[in-house]
Amino acid sequence: MTTAPYLALRPTGPGGPSAPVGREELLARLERALHTRGRALLTGPAGVGKTELALAEATRAEARGETVLWLATLPSDREIPGASAAALVASVAATVHRPQPGGRRREPRPADKAAAGPEASAVFDELPGPQRTAVAMLCREAPLDAGGWDPIALRLGIAQILRTLTRRGPVLLVVDGVQHVDADSADLLRFALHLAPPALRVVAVETPEPYGEAGEPYRAPHRPDDPHAAHLWVPSEADVLLVPPLHADEIAELLIHHRLPSRMAGRIHRASGGNPRLALAVGRSLADARTPVHHAEALTLSGRARDLARQLLGAAPLAVRETLLLAALALRPSSTLVRRAGRPNAEADLAAAERAGLVSLAEDGSVTFTAGLLPSTLVHDACWAERSAGHAALAEVVDDPVEAVRHRALATDSPDEDLAAEVANAADLARRRGNSALAAELALLAAESTPGRHGTRRIARLVDAAEEAARAARADLAMRAATDLLARDAVPSDRVRARLAVLDTAGQGLTGLDEMYVHAMEDSEGDTALRAAVQLRLAVKYVLADGDPQRSRTAAVESAALAASMGDPRTAAQALTVQARMERALGAPDAEAVLAQARALELAERPLGIRNAAQILTIRHALFDDRLTDARDELNALLPLVQRRGSVEDTIELFSTLAAVESRMGACAAALAHAGQSLALTLEAGLSPGPAWYTLALAETAGGSFARAASYARRSVQASEEEGDRVFLSRSRYALGRVQLINGDVAAALETLRRVQADERAQSTVDPSMLRWHEELAEALLAHDAGDEALALLDEVRPVAARLGRSTVLLGCDRAHALWLAAEGRTDEAAQLLTRTAEAFGRAGLPLERGRALIALARVERRRRRRSAAQSALQTAASVFERAGATPWLALACESPAGAVGESPGGGSGGEEALPALSSLTEAELRLARLVGQGASNQEAAAKLYLSVKTVEARLTRIYQKLDVRSRAQLATALRP
């Protein structure tokens, strides 16, 4: 079956054709196979993106001027002798280069050759009479003789058509759905390809048929007398390219390309198994939902998503589906377990399912579904009797008493107190084993198995289930438990505890939960301990969702006081931590003292986790203050302990903070590794990827790729907007604006950084060390020829940084101020200040900042026409970046330091020394001069630089005066080296 391409394409080079998301390397392998062997077979399960990959290669071939023939087969073709060969002839006649929407091809028509023009007609006119007649019979353009067409003439005719096409230039033939090619056509094409010259390259797209021609799982899918009967050539290992599922991060990018919500990319990846078609179906289900699906809710797996899963499962024989249902019901499915549970042919059934891409089988026989949507759909579509029988059979054969109790509980729909007590005990055992996810599931199952007459006991178990789900980060189970409890006559304290469990699993997605906070406040009235807990959650909400640190601090102060009055040091420590965080943001002088109080309480009462704990905030304060060695040492000491005993969210927090520290201190390779681990864990846990993408943007900016950094920052912006996370929205915009500025996209950087400025001011953030946007915005303003505004911004932030003792913030301001001096023509002062600033950054242990200041110094020295000094500064910067592993910065240091027209990348002759007048232009003026010199009108230049036409005219007047020219022609001449 062929489908419309998902067409999530992105550039692989400047102005070049595009590749599907996550397929750049595979597309390169495809091109190498075609170049060296002329043949390639793309294979993989349905929906994995084989057609899209072939289409990308066809697009590239077409861009090179090659002839592209696209043959898209249909399942019914297999039963029609010669159908595919006739379609190929029709595609030649009609010069079809692209599949029709939905993978449908147009039926051959006699008028095609006439409509195709004289060149296509010549292909057929060159055929000898018998061959032309045989081809006409094949396409039903001539009546069939009693004996049918001449098979030898037809073979030679098809081969001659392809040879004639290749004489006019290279030809790429794509056969999409080679498994549907009828036997006669396969024989004709094999013969033609055997005689074809090297100029004909072929891509075959195959979806393997695992169940045999009769739909039986125990029959080989190909004819035993000819194992290659369905292939157009005998494929070798080098020809066959398996198209794998996409990784979770690639699924997120795919969703973004299709303007679908990316905040649940991890959960969508688990549901789809990385299959692009399934992922997009799930993503569209979420997008089409009447109300946004929250992290604490189950995914909406209805409509198209379920239908696609049913199509994949429906192709399997009934016996295979019954075996798969048992595997779906088991906690740890294996072929042995399923066989013992009543499926004697389990191994053969599962092997057939593996060939179909539904499951994967390990050496020990353990079974893993390739997509979470598959077992979900199997269970969803099975009737109660089937599910009950399956669980009952599994309960008899599993070797773990915890699993046996689970299956016995799921096999009955009658509440039973004895059984509920057994399940509750099993939940405790699972918890002691460290399996928090299973403990949460069993705790909820125990509550649901409790008879209605034991209402108080059921409510108590629902509270336990909600809190167990919160500890396991199982938002869906917490919501189920809370929903059940809130529908019952529970006391206020139980309602509050259930709601707090839901809030604790919401992650960054606190927007839309206002009603839950309101009810929690109402129900906690008169209960000081619970009110302290609710106020603590409100303090977090006020800063994350509302962007109001003042209100957050007030709530945190109240929570700490209430907790202290109840002798609850754990809640008091958490509240004081939030208070210290807000005090720091608001520039209060006692932030460190408050944090010390929280730290002291934590030492006396060990916290349940490190996320939002005083210990991790102490480390982050060290990061803000650039006490980076201290921060890294503390994190490295914590990491082994958290990895052994902590929650996944704690581990994510540590990896993320460690990556931020290493990015700042220039340990670039380690930063990239830890940021990648943070993202992988985030997506695996189904949490919002916004914070992890922000961290990865920082790490990529330091040591990876500026382009990837911008991509991750944009993803973080989108996810944070979807979540309503004001804190990380501001951070991700800062990361994006910074990399835009470094890349020279000044107009975009200015727009982005102005939004950061507005966000931070709206949140009343005072401390400039927490997000260092001031120096970046000042530099963007200078590059945009807004020197007065840049100077005013620096004059505004300097006193605050000095009062708070933020010495490295002042160094960043010094770098920006030096650029202002250079823009004003005071290059001697600028060079001196940049020299001092670079040295100070070096002493502070900030190699990347030192290198950045040296690049700025090199540009200023070039403007001073001190070529040797500029080259020395640039070489020193390159050495600094090389030691740090700062790959993108090293590449930047190897470019022209001033970016002047005519300057060689290495800073050789022909730069500003050859054009001394250009040294008088600011960078903003130089950019405008280049555009105008290349022929841009004032309106075009204004649009390109995001300026008004009047500003362009005024700036152009200054350029004319500085260069002593009077026309655009003279300006273009002055810009030539």
Side-chain angles (χ1 to χ4, degrees):
M1 171 174 91
T2 55
T3 59
Y6 63 79
L7 290 178
L9 305 179
R10 59 181 177 182
T12 56
S18 300
V21 166
R23 303 304 191 196
E24 293 85 351
E25 183 180 346
L26 191 57
L27 185 58
R29 287 178 54 201
L30 173 60
E31 292 205 314
R32 287 195 299 270
L34 290 174
H35 178 73
T36 57
R37 304 183 62 83
R39 306 285 186 269
L41 174 64
L42 297 175
T43 185
V48 80
K50 305 180 295 296
T51 297
E52 288 68 27
L53 191 63
L55 181 60
E57 176 56 28
T59 302
R60 290 188 172 190
E62 207 169 49
R64 294 190 294 264
E66 299 180 18
T67 298
V68 176
L69 302 176
W70 190 286
L71 173 59
T73 65
L74 296 173
S76 58
D77 290 350
R78 192 184 321 193
E79 309 303 325
I80 306 175
S84 296
L88 175 62
V89 173
S91 69
V92 173
T95 61
V96 176
H97 299 289
R98 199 66 57 85
Q100 297 294 315
R104 297 184 299 273
R105 70 165 188 275
R106 188 183 58 191
E107 290 301 318
R109 295 183 304 178
D112 279 345
K113 293 193 287 291
E119 183 175 335
S121 297
V123 173
F124 297 93
D125 291 342
E126 293 184 15
L127 292 176
Q131 296 177 19
R132 191 162 56 248
T133 299
V135 170
M137 288 181 180
L138 173 71
C139 297
R140 302 304 191 266
E141 295 179 8
L144 287 173
D145 294 339
W149 55 66
D150 182 341
I152 296 178
L154 184 57
R155 276 182 159 213
L156 294 172
I158 299 292
Q160 181 61 34
I161 289 171
L162 295 179
R163 281 200 303 269
T164 303
L165 278 177
T166 58
R167 288 203 298 267
R168 290 163 168 76
V171 177
L172 176 67
L173 169 61
V174 179
V175 183
D176 187 10
V178 69
Q179 73 276 8
H180 298 315
V181 173
D182 61 279
D184 288 355
S185 295
D187 181 67
L188 288 169
L189 290 173
R190 272 194 297 272
F191 180 81
L193 296 182
H194 178 69
L195 298 182
L200 175 66
R201 298 175 302 136
V202 184
V203 175
V205 178
E206 173 195 58
T207 301
E209 297 182 292
Y211 305 119
E213 295 177 2
E216 299 175 6
Y218 319 121
R219 289 186 55 178
H222 299 307
R223 283 167 283 186
D225 57 331
D226 183 3
H228 303 295
H231 293 136
L232 304 182
W233 68 91
V234 178
S236 69
E237 186 176 345
D239 299 340
V240 180
L241 299 178
L242 175 65
V243 182
L246 295 177
H247 298 302
D249 194 37
E250 294 164 341
I251 288 294
E253 188 175 353
L254 177 67
L255 295 170
I256 290 172
H257 271 273
H258 286 267
R259 302 182 183 277
L260 294 171
S262 63
R263 61 191 177 92
M264 292 192 178
R267 295 179 68 185
I268 292 174
H269 179 263
R270 286 207 306 270
S272 65
N275 184 295
R277 189 191 302 169
L278 281 176
L280 290 176
V282 175
R284 291 190 177 104
S285 294
L286 297 180
D288 294 341
R290 292 185 178 180
T291 58
V293 178
H294 191 267
H295 275 294
E297 298 173 347
L299 290 182
T300 305
L301 299 177
S302 58
R304 180 64 175 158
R306 286 281 188 213
D307 289 342
L308 283 175
R310 290 181 182 116
Q311 288 177 22
L312 294 173
L313 294 166
L318 178 61
V320 172
R321 293 200 302 273
E322 290 175 345
T323 297
L324 289 175
L325 176 59
L326 270 181
L329 295 173
L331 272 179
R332 295 177 296 132
S334 69
S335 55
T336 302
L337 178 66
V338 174
R339 174 166 36 80
R340 289 173 178 172
R343 303 300 303 168
N345 295 318
E347 283 80 3
D349 291 341
L350 292 170
E354 185 179 41
R355 289 195 299 270
L358 303 177
V359 299
S360 61
L361 299 175
E363 290 294 328
D364 61 357
S366 58
V367 181
T368 304
F369 282 89
T370 55
L373 187 55
L374 298 176
S376 167
T377 301
L378 281 165
V379 175
H380 177 274
D381 289 353
C383 68
W384 160 250
E386 291 173 323
R387 296 197 304 271
S388 176
H391 281 300
L394 289 167
E396 295 296 325
V397 296
V398 292
D399 56 4
D400 181 4
V402 171
E403 294 182 31
V405 170
R406 172 183 177 270
H407 284 302
R408 284 198 290 113
L410 291 172
T412 179
D413 61 349
S414 300
D416 182 284
E417 174 54 30
D418 292 337
L419 182 59
E422 282 190 72
V423 177
N425 291 333
D428 291 336
L429 180 56
R431 184 187 307 112
R432 291 195 298 272
R433 291 176 178 177
N435 192 340
S436 56
L438 179 57
E441 180 189 348
L442 290 171
L444 181 57
L445 184 57
E448 293 173 340
S449 300
T450 305
R453 63 179 179 276
H454 299 291
T456 303
R457 191 171 298 169
R458 181 182 180 104
I459 289 173
R461 285 173 176 161
L462 285 170
V463 173
D464 290 341
E467 293 179 337
E468 193 66 55
R471 286 189 288 271
R474 284 294 304 271
D476 54 337
L477 298 182
M479 179 64 85
R480 274 178 56 189
T483 302
D484 190 347
L485 183 143
L486 295 173
R488 300 177 182 278
D489 189 19
V491 298
S493 60
D494 288 338
R495 293 200 297 268
V496 172
R497 290 170 62 190
R499 288 189 172 104
L500 292 180
V502 173
L503 294 175
D504 288 344
T505 60
Q508 308 301 119
L510 300 178
T511 302
L513 295 176
D514 288 351
E515 185 177 344
M516 191 160 288
Y517 286 100
V518 170
H519 288 304
M521 283 292 288
E522 291 176 352
D523 287 338
S524 64
E525 185 72 34
D527 189 324
T528 304
L530 285 177
R531 177 56 64 94
V534 175
Q535 286 287 2
L536 175 61
R537 273 69 171 189
L538 280 170
V540 175
K541 173 197 179 288
Y542 289 148
V543 65
L544 282 182
D546 301 343
D548 191 342
Q550 294 275 11
R551 199 174 179 191
S552 176
R553 177 174 62 178
T554 300
V557 169
E558 182 176 350
S559 175
L562 291 172
S565 71
M566 294 299 296
D568 182 359
R570 183 169 291 162
T571 301
Q574 292 177 305
L576 287 170
T577 300
V578 177
Q579 180 186 344
R581 179 182 168 191
M582 297 305 101
E583 300 276 12
R584 171 96 187 203
L586 295 169
D590 56 348
E592 296 303 322
V594 174
L595 182 56
Q597 293 179 45
R599 193 80 175 91
L601 287 174
E602 277 189 358
L603 292 175
E605 182 74 19
R606 181 180 171 185
L608 296 176
I610 62 129
R611 194 165 178 262
N612 296 324
Q615 186 175 14
I616 198 69
L617 184 61
T618 301
I619 294 172
R620 294 198 68 83
H621 280 198
L623 167 62
F624 298 150
D625 294 336
D626 284 323
R627 293 182 281 112
L628 302 175
T629 301
D630 294 343
R632 184 175 63 176
D633 289 346
E634 286 198 50
L635 287 167
N636 284 331
L638 267 177
L639 190 56
L641 180 64
V642 169
Q643 286 180 308
R644 285 197 306 270
R645 302 180 186 174
S647 68
V648 65
E649 290 180 297
D650 285 345
T651 308
I652 290 168
E653 178 77 15
L654 273 190
F655 278 138
S656 177
T657 306
L658 190 54
V661 169
E662 290 162 339
S663 298
R664 183 75 176 157
M665 70 190 309
C668 298
L672 283 167
H674 288 131
Q677 287 175 290
S678 174
L679 177 62
L681 288 173
T682 296
L683 293 173
E684 183 180 342
L687 302 173
S688 172
W693 279 333
Y694 162 73
T695 302
L696 198 49
L698 296 183
E700 288 285 352
T701 302
S705 156
F706 291 146
R708 287 197 299 271
S711 174
Y712 283 122
R714 287 190 182 93
R715 295 190 208 177
S716 183
V717 168
Q718 177 171 327
S720 299
E721 286 176 336
E722 291 172 3
E723 295 284 12
D725 184 343
R726 300 285 293 278
V727 171
F728 273 95
L729 178 59
S730 187
R731 292 180 186 178
S732 53
R733 282 176 176 162
Y734 157 76
L736 177 59
R738 182 168 180 255
V739 76
Q740 287 171 331
L741 179 63
I742 295 167
N743 273 331
D745 192 355
V746 174
L750 186 59
E751 179 183 357
T752 303
L753 291 168
R754 282 193 189 280
R755 298 184 74 176
V756 176
Q757 180 185 40
D759 291 343
E760 293 294 291
R761 288 181 173 173
Q763 297 177 48
S764 306
T765 304
V766 174
D767 192 328
S769 68
M770 299 180 71
L771 200 63
R772 300 176 183 237
W773 57 269
H774 306 80
E775 61 200 66
E776 309 295 346
L777 178 56
E779 184 173 341
L781 289 167
L782 289 167
H784 209 64
D785 210 22
D788 292 344
E789 188 178 351
L791 186 61
L793 178 62
L794 293 173
D795 289 342
E796 175 188 324
V797 72
R798 278 180 181 279
V800 177
R803 174 176 64 82
L804 297 174
R806 312 301 186 226
S807 57
T808 53
V809 173
L810 293 172
L811 291 178
C813 292
D814 286 343
R815 180 182 57 79
H817 184 68
L819 297 176
W820 177 83
L821 290 173
E824 293 294 308
R826 297 157 64 179
T827 53
D828 292 346
E829 295 175 66
Q832 293 172 9
L833 180 55
L834 283 169
T835 300
R836 295 195 301 270
T837 301
E839 293 172 352
F841 273 130
R843 291 192 298 271
L846 300 172
L848 302 191
E849 294 298 330
R850 180 191 175 203
R852 189 175 178 186
L854 287 169
I855 289 178
L857 174 61
R859 290 174 175 169
V860 171
E861 293 290 16
R862 183 57 62 98
R863 290 189 62 187
R864 296 172 73 199
R865 302 176 63 188
R866 298 181 69 234
R867 183 173 179 274
S868 178
Q871 193 68 19
S872 175
L874 204 61
Q875 289 174 350
T876 304
S879 178
V880 168
F881 293 140
E882 187 172 15
R883 285 196 300 272
T887 303
W889 291 97
L890 180 60
L892 190 66
C894 293
E895 296 176 356
S896 167
V901 173
E903 191 170 274
S904 64
S909 62
E912 291 183 10
E913 290 184 359
L915 300 170
L918 294 183
S919 63
S920 63
L921 300 181
T922 66
E923 291 191 15
E925 291 170 344
L926 188 56
R927 277 193 297 275
L928 176 60
R930 289 173 181 167
L931 284 175
V932 174
Q934 292 167 1
S937 67
N938 288 359
Q939 290 80 4
E940 290 170 340
K944 182 75 172 177
L945 298 174
Y946 294 90
L947 300 171
S948 68
V949 175
K950 288 187 176 180
T951 300
V952 167
E953 291 171 348
R955 192 174 292 178
L956 199 54
T957 299
R958 292 197 300 273
I959 293 170
Y960 281 12
Q961 292 171 349
K962 289 182 179 182
L963 299 183
D964 193 24
V965 298
R966 299 184 179 182
S967 68
R968 292 173 181 264
Q970 290 180 352
L971 175 61
T973 301
L975 292 172
R976 295 196 190 103

